[in-house]
Amino acid sequence: MFLEIAVQDAPGAQLAASYGAARIELCCALQLGGLTPSQGLLKSVQLAEPALPIHALIRPRPGDYVYDGAAVALMVQEIKELHDGGATGVVIGALTAEDGIDYAAVEAMVAAAQGMHITFHRAIDHLTLRDAVTAVPRLAELGVQRILSSGGASRAGEGVEQLAAMYQAAEGGLSIMAGGGVKTSDFAVFRAAGLNDVHLSAKRTVNLQTPEPLTASARAEDNSYFATDAGIVRDAAKTAQALA
């Protein structure tokens, strides 16, 4: 199985590479669900791991995936700059206000990618089972090469039925990648459903201890952040290798 690890810094990328991840999804602000990485972040990861495929998340803000014209234009520009910066692929997604896929936005972003690998992210999990399955071949026609999904469930391990249906609908036109609350115990189930790609954030929470005395403002701040966890990446890689 092929592992994709979501990371937000060079140390995370180095961990992913050291345990044989196939690629990373590069983002910033994992605690917000991930946002578009900067050019500086992309460059730092390229310098740290020159051979590691980097798929950059395109998400301009937290919240829903319904974007106006200005937001779509921004995402298109970000994709062009990430292409010029040497990213291997981009991870995109956009919905209509009715929780359908915004195909016009997808088409614009695919065009901006100029041949980079395209993954459609978990925005697809907002769709009903029927709509998600129907969307698979249409996304493939637009140039999407992989769909990241939890199968509409809170955890991908509980959404295997929908993931399997999406895999069947793809008919080899694109890959379905399981992601969202993934446990290593899910890997064999994913493989049995025909899936070969698994996505993990593989994160741990780092809580910083700030010495007293503190101002009232400082006490109100959240001093925690996410970091890539070596143990989770190692266990995921070991499990994936056992299923090879």
Side-chain angles (χ1 to χ4, degrees):
M1 299 190 76
F2 299 101
L3 286 181
E4 177 178 282
I5 307 297
V7 307
Q8 60 182 357
D9 53 29
Q14 289 173 316
L15 276 174
S18 69
Y19 287 106
R23 73 193 82 87
I24 59 169
E25 180 193 278
L26 183 63
C27 65
C28 69
L30 264 175
Q31 282 173 290
L32 298 177
L35 299 175
T36 306
S38 68
Q39 290 292 320
L41 176 53
L42 173 64
K43 187 65 175 178
S44 70
V45 171
Q46 289 171 326
L47 290 172
E49 291 293 340
L52 182 64
I54 302 170
H55 292 195
L57 176 63
I58 305 300
R59 187 176 178 226
R61 57 162 173 76
D64 65 17
Y65 302 106
V66 180
Y67 301 112
D68 61 16
V72 173
L74 171 60
M75 292 190 290
V76 164
Q77 186 60 38
E78 293 280 18
I79 290 169
K80 291 178 179 178
E81 293 187 8
L82 287 161
H83 171 275
D84 293 346
T88 313
V90 287
V91 182
I92 67 171
L95 300 177
T96 66
E98 295 75 32
D99 274 344
I101 292 176
D102 185 341
Y103 289 105
V106 171
E107 191 169 5
M109 288 188 277
V110 170
Q114 303 172 68
M116 284 193 293
H117 189 283
I118 304 290
T119 299
F120 191 94
H121 60 52
R122 287 189 59 199
I124 200 166
D125 291 326
H126 288 243
L127 278 61
T128 65
L129 168 60
R130 179 178 177 179
D131 289 345
V133 171
T134 301
V136 171
R138 186 166 180 188
L139 288 171
E141 289 174 0
L142 290 178
V144 173
Q145 293 153 282
R146 182 178 293 115
I147 296 174
L148 168 63
S149 174
S150 66
S154 58
R155 285 201 329 101
E158 298 168 355
V160 175
E161 181 178 350
Q162 180 165 317
L163 288 168
M166 293 167 68
Y167 170 78
Q168 294 295 327
E171 297 184 336
L174 52 70
S175 299
I176 305 297
M177 177 166 60
V182 169
K183 300 178 180 178
T184 54
S185 57
D186 299 323
F187 283 26
V189 180
F190 297 149
R191 187 61 180 271
L195 310 184
N196 293 316
D197 291 277
V198 182
H199 170 101
L200 299 89
S201 56
K203 61 184 181 292
R204 61 186 172 90
T205 301
V206 178
N207 292 297
L208 299 178
Q209 298 298 319
T210 306
E212 297 287 350
L214 296 174
T215 64
S217 176
R219 288 192 187 96
E221 292 177 357
D222 181 3
N223 290 316
S224 67
Y225 64 92
F226 288 160
T228 306
D229 186 275
I232 297 174
V233 178
R234 180 189 64 241
D235 292 347
K238 182 178 179 180
T239 304
Q241 290 163 6
L243 291 170

